[in-house]
Amino acid sequence: MDSFFITTPIYYVNAKPHLGHAYTTILADSMNRFHKLLGDETFFLTGTDEHGDKIVQAAEKGGQTPREYVDEISSLFSDLWPGLQIENDDFIRTTEERHIKCVQEVLQKVYDKGDIYFGEYGGHYCFGCERFYTEKELTDGKCPQHETVPEYIAEKNYFFKMSKYQDWLIGHINANPDFIRPERYRNEVLSLLKSGALEDLCISRPKSRLEWGIELPFDRDFVTYVWFDALINYITALEYPDGEKFKKYWPAANHLVAKDILKPHAVFWPTMLKAAEIEPYQNLNVHGYWLIKDTKMSKSLGNVVSPLEMADKYGVNAFRYFLLREMVFGNDSSFSEEALVGRLNADLANDLGNLYSRTLSMTHKYFGGIVPAPGEEGEEDCDIKNVGRKAMADFQNNFMEAKFSRGLEGLWELVRGLNKYIDTTQPWALYKEEKMSRLGTVMYVLLENMRKIAVHLWPVMPEASESMFEQLGIKFSPEKINLQGEIDVWGLLEHGTAVASKSNLFPRVEVEKKDTAPKKKEAKPSKKKSKEKKTEIPGVIEFPDFQKVDMRVGTILSVVKHPDADKLLLIKVDTGEDEPRQVVAGLAEFFKPEELEGRQVVVVVNLAPRKLRGEVSQGMILAVRNGKEMQLLTATAPVDNGCKVS
Ligand code: MSP
């Protein structure tokens, strides 16, 4: 059994948790669950970083002592995680006794070894970053992160001989291509290391300037620099040096951070570990920023996204899926509610939700809700099973390499493939023709593949995945899953199992247009205008009247001539629902049946059904007549069946 240790940054308690913190922590949770399904022994750590100038300043601002302040904000983080279905094994706070002890132990070890010395230093200190900058690192004399002019401070302090380990670190990164990933950040670190001599790291602050920190064990007049303190949390939680957890989970550590804290994790931390004679961690996984309309999130711009608000509004699982699917790991990504709703409707409601609801309701209609025994398999069954194998392997390989978005994209090949499989195998026709053995195979292929999809989605959408299992009549227990084995194994869903009759996993949502971009001063709408009386103009309808018409895109599956009317065709259209709709349309004089099959059309789906010469018509296909010709309305590029026209 392999060990897997995943960490998030420990978050500063100078601000409330937002989308960025939620993303890293949700991702860590997903990686942790993924490794659980692989059968690894896992440990997932998150927490809060509570020392340093920033915290003291924030506490003072609110008229609180640092202790009162850190207790309050730290619990905002620890209380948030369960609501996002995040299950961390430990929550560490740097003000805890266990951590203070561990930091002092590491400091003493490095000091005794001769890698810490006392010296004088003058530098440009940024309070936002809590670090000194060299002239070279400043942009126009300003801190590149905060764009503020740092303060020049000269004082006596303790220094860690980081420069001594520069060559070792370059060698280690070169020998371990996965040490820092994705590659762009590895290259960034290598070029930083090769561009000049690494400086020694100032690791103390005189108590005369800052008291809120961990005392140096060898000089009580100083406290530890917040980064030297914070990074050690990763081993405190494992009970370094003698704890069982340390033996089990170190060095199998995977750190997850955003690019803002690349240098401390890629340079300070491995050199600190080397000096303390501890093996380096296994991987540093670095992601980009979530932006709001291409701008950084910030309190002053008023564009900070609250993760809980999003989860409450759209569902935790949809929110988690969106974050992992939308951001290409390593790159920046823009967050908007429109994009979230787009994914929710397309990937979750249309593709996945529809697959579940159509298949379950067909299982009820054709087999009384019982998983049928499959008959002989044909070519199209083998084809879809191959699609499945490839999709699951893609998902797993990409997740292994921290390419989450690609992994989900890979899995969706199966989700979409199964929807197409329904369209081509046409279970409703098999039922009509009483081909029950063939129908049994088709339904079994669908249901077993749906089980496999549910397994793979547990790391991303835990609750939704568990509901999928429940709907398939199976009790889910992660420890019974063999994720790698799922790629090739077939037939774990037992025939005879009773499945749910309905599924409404991801209801579609419509987004109200709301601007999450930085607030600009907007003219208040005049009261006069909003009270304006609506005047009715003949022939003009109000917007709500237009909204009543539900138009969807659908694909024509089959067309036959109406038995009793020359001008009418009976057209079966897949509009993304459980079963295709039959539309009776007056198109016979313009199109031959084969010219229509496979075309995407726009269908009014909420017209009351009516009979046309004895055949029921469930909707209307939109078309334009131009003289003797008729043109069908369609989208300019293929879209998913069921997409709403608006
Ligand atoms: N306390 C340090 C970390 C010490 S780790 C030993 C710190 N804290 S922080 O509160 O500023 O958190 C930074 C981290 O929050 C980022 O690395 C990232 O994980 C997450 N994010 C904060 N804003 C973010 C975005 N806008 N987008 C993505 N992630 C972001 O640095």
Side-chain angles (χ1 to χ4, degrees):
M1 201 184 243
D2 288 335
S3 298
F4 178 77
F5 175 37
I6 179 82
T7 71
T8 72
I10 45 170
Y11 304 112
Y12 285 132
V13 288
N14 62 342
K16 289 184 190 161
H18 60 60
L19 172 73
H21 307 116
Y23 172 70
T24 315
T25 321
I26 286 172
L27 192 50
D29 182 70
S30 293
M31 289 171 79
N32 194 49
R33 290 175 190 265
F34 175 70
H35 279 266
K36 270 192 181 166
L37 295 186
L38 288 174
D40 293 348
E41 248 187 295
T42 63
F43 193 72
F44 168 18
L45 175 70
T46 186
T48 43
D49 189 355
E50 306 185 358
H51 288 127
D53 300 306
K54 270 202 229 185
I55 310 300
V56 177
Q57 284 164 4
E60 273 169 6
K61 232 177 170 180
Q64 284 172 300
T65 63
R67 168 59 62 192
E68 287 164 347
Y69 175 79
V70 296
D71 285 349
E72 188 182 312
I73 308 284
S74 177
S75 61
L76 292 182
F77 283 87
S78 55
D79 291 350
L80 172 66
W81 304 141
L84 297 174
Q85 290 169 24
I86 289 166
E87 284 180 4
N88 46 302
D89 295 298
D90 196 355
F91 187 92
I92 189 160
R93 302 182 54 189
T94 53
T95 48
E96 286 171 316
E97 208 39 54
R98 58 173 171 159
H99 181 63
I100 296 168
K101 221 176 110 227
C102 187
V103 170
Q104 290 180 334
E105 184 149 354
V106 173
L107 278 166
Q108 192 66 53
K109 192 165 174 191
V110 179
Y111 183 73
D112 291 345
K113 202 178 160 200
D115 276 352
I116 290 175
Y117 64 90
F118 195 53
E120 188 162 280
Y121 184 73
H124 305 274
Y125 191 76
C126 170
F127 281 88
C129 302
E130 308 224 13
R131 60 168 277 213
F132 286 104
Y133 276 93
T134 59
E135 296 271 352
K136 222 170 63 187
E137 286 176 310
L138 299 176
T139 320
D140 299 331
K142 289 182 181 165
C143 159
Q145 289 264 350
H146 293 89
E147 293 172 13
T148 48
V149 179
E151 201 172 310
Y152 189 84
I153 295 180
E155 62 192 14
K156 286 205 164 213
N157 265 312
Y158 285 88
F159 290 83
F160 163 51
K161 286 187 189 166
M162 198 158 72
S163 55
K164 182 175 155 186
Y165 297 104
Q166 177 164 359
D167 291 342
W168 166 80
L169 184 55
I170 294 174
H172 185 77
I173 296 173
N174 280 330
N176 296 278
D178 269 357
F179 186 58
I180 302 166
R181 61 189 186 187
E183 205 181 349
R184 57 193 282 199
Y185 295 109
R186 174 176 182 265
N187 294 340
E188 201 176 297
V189 174
L190 277 174
S191 74
L192 178 133
L193 288 170
K194 288 175 184 166
S195 68
L198 196 59
E199 294 188 8
D200 287 344
L201 183 67
C202 176
I203 56 148
S204 67
R205 300 288 178 262
K207 268 198 189 164
S208 52
R209 184 155 70 78
L210 174 75
E211 282 209 30
W212 186 245
I214 299 176
E215 271 181 2
L216 296 185
F218 42 81
D219 190 338
R220 304 276 167 196
D221 289 335
F222 289 83
V223 293
T224 314
Y225 166 48
V226 68
W227 268 107
F228 201 95
D229 152 359
L231 289 159
I232 292 172
N233 89 84
Y234 300 133
I235 54 173
T236 303
L238 299 183
E239 291 162 17
Y240 169 80
D242 303 316
E244 276 307 305
K245 281 194 224 131
F246 187 72
K247 279 184 211 135
K248 193 188 284 175
Y249 295 111
W250 198 269
N254 261 266
H255 297 309
L256 189 56
V257 297
K259 61 184 183 183
D260 54 339
I261 51 177
L262 175 63
K263 189 174 174 187
H265 282 83
V267 181
F268 302 178
W269 184 221
T271 54
M272 283 164 64
L273 288 165
K274 182 73 181 161
E277 292 166 8
I278 303 170
E279 273 190 75
Y281 54 80
Q282 191 175 304
N283 301 113
L284 177 64
N285 304 287
V286 189
H287 64 78
Y289 283 145
W290 279 102
L291 305 172
I292 307 298
K293 302 241 163 105
D294 300 327
T295 328
K296 246 182 133 174
M297 252 186 296
S298 98
K299 241 201 269 172
S300 53
L301 287 173
N303 64 349
V304 176
V305 176
S306 149
L308 214 50
E309 202 182 297
M310 288 301 114
D312 282 348
K313 199 162 167 189
Y314 301 108
V316 184
N317 287 268
F319 178 58
R320 286 175 63 120
Y321 171 81
F322 172 76
L323 294 182
L324 264 72
R325 176 65 184 83
E326 191 76 3
M327 179 175 263
V328 173
F329 192 80
N331 296 356
D332 290 348
S333 201
S334 271
F335 181 90
S336 74
E337 284 189 55
E338 283 89 344
L340 198 165
V341 169
R343 286 246 175 249
L344 201 170
N345 285 343
D347 299 4
L348 299 180
N350 248 15
D351 295 341
L352 182 62
N354 251 346
L355 173 65
Y356 260 77
S357 80
R358 301 166 91 176
T359 309
L360 292 179
S361 77
M362 287 193 286
T363 312
H364 266 261
K365 211 160 171 184
Y366 309 144
F367 291 100
I370 302 295
V371 177
E376 210 175 295
E377 281 175 8
E379 202 181 313
E380 47 195 350
D381 312 318
C382 292
D383 287 350
I384 189 69
K385 279 166 81 174
N386 284 335
V387 169
R389 259 179 237 128
K390 184 173 177 311
M392 289 181 279
D394 270 358
F395 178 91
Q396 294 187 24
N397 294 336
N398 280 306
F399 256 59
M400 230 27 190
E401 291 172 18
K403 293 176 184 160
F404 309 100
S405 167
R406 264 210 213 157
L408 284 167
E409 209 179 319
L411 190 66
W412 248 248
E413 288 295 319
L414 177 59
V415 178
R416 295 206 182 98
L418 288 170
N419 276 320
K420 272 200 203 114
Y421 175 81
I422 298 181
D423 297 341
T424 51
T425 53
Q426 305 202 351
W428 49 91
L430 297 173
Y431 183 65
K432 230 184 204 165
E433 293 158 23
E434 293 177 18
K435 294 182 176 159
M436 295 312 278
S437 163
R438 175 76 197 122
L439 182 59
T441 309
V442 168
M443 296 313 295
Y444 190 83
V445 166
L446 285 165
L447 291 161
E448 170 69 348
N449 270 310
M450 279 156 57
R451 185 193 63 77
K452 287 168 177 282
I453 291 168
V455 172
H456 283 79
L457 285 178
W458 186 69
V460 182
M461 301 191 280
E463 198 180 68
S465 150
E466 284 164 27
S467 302
M468 291 178 216
F469 273 96
E470 217 177 291
Q471 291 175 2
L472 293 173
I474 318 167
K475 169 117 190 63
F476 176 73
S477 17
E479 58 288 349
K480 287 199 189 136
I481 301 288
N482 169 358
L483 195 64
Q484 274 170 327
E486 280 292 342
I487 297 176
D488 287 314
V489 79
W490 184 255
L492 294 191
L493 179 64
E494 285 173 27
H495 34 96
T497 309
V499 302
S501 57
K502 274 197 199 112
S503 170
N504 191 14
L505 290 166
F506 302 102
R508 288 182 72 88
V509 275
E510 306 301 334
V511 73
E512 19 166 318
K513 262 258 190 262
K514 189 182 129 197
D515 209 347
T516 31
K519 281 177 197 153
K520 289 195 196 106
K521 281 204 174 146
E522 280 172 16
K524 279 194 183 163
S526 82
K527 282 188 187 152
K528 215 170 113 197
K529 203 173 170 189
S530 60
K531 279 192 182 162
E532 248 169 24
K533 218 181 144 235
K534 284 176 199 153
T535 40
E536 277 183 24
I537 308 167
V540 170
I541 58 168
E542 289 293 334
F543 187 62
D545 294 325
F546 166 70
Q547 274 185 314
K548 284 184 198 157
V549 186
D550 189 356
M551 290 178 281
R552 305 277 171 165
V553 173
T555 300
I556 297 180
L557 300 174
S558 62
V559 185
V560 290
K561 290 192 170 155
H562 192 297
D564 292 328
D566 291 348
K567 289 189 175 170
L568 298 180
L569 294 175
L570 307 182
I571 303 177
K572 288 252 163 56
V573 194
D574 177 359
T575 45
E577 296 156 290
D578 291 355
E579 286 195 10
R581 283 173 177 261
Q582 170 165 287
V583 177
V584 182
L587 295 173
E589 51 181 308
F590 306 102
F591 299 99
K592 293 194 187 103
E594 60 273 20
E595 288 170 343
L596 291 174
E597 277 167 6
R599 290 180 66 169
Q600 275 207 317
V601 287
V602 175
V603 185
V604 178
V605 292
N606 63 340
L607 263 188
R610 57 182 183 143
K611 271 197 175 172
L612 292 168
R613 297 275 182 104
E615 287 287 342
V616 179
S617 183
Q618 302 166 293
M620 182 194 275
I621 293 177
L622 296 188
V624 189
R625 186 162 186 169
N626 185 18
K628 282 188 176 162
E629 286 191 350
M630 186 73 92
Q631 301 295 340
L632 298 177
L633 256 66
T634 188
T636 51
V639 297
D640 291 332
N641 291 334
C643 280
K644 192 171 162 62
V645 178
S646 52

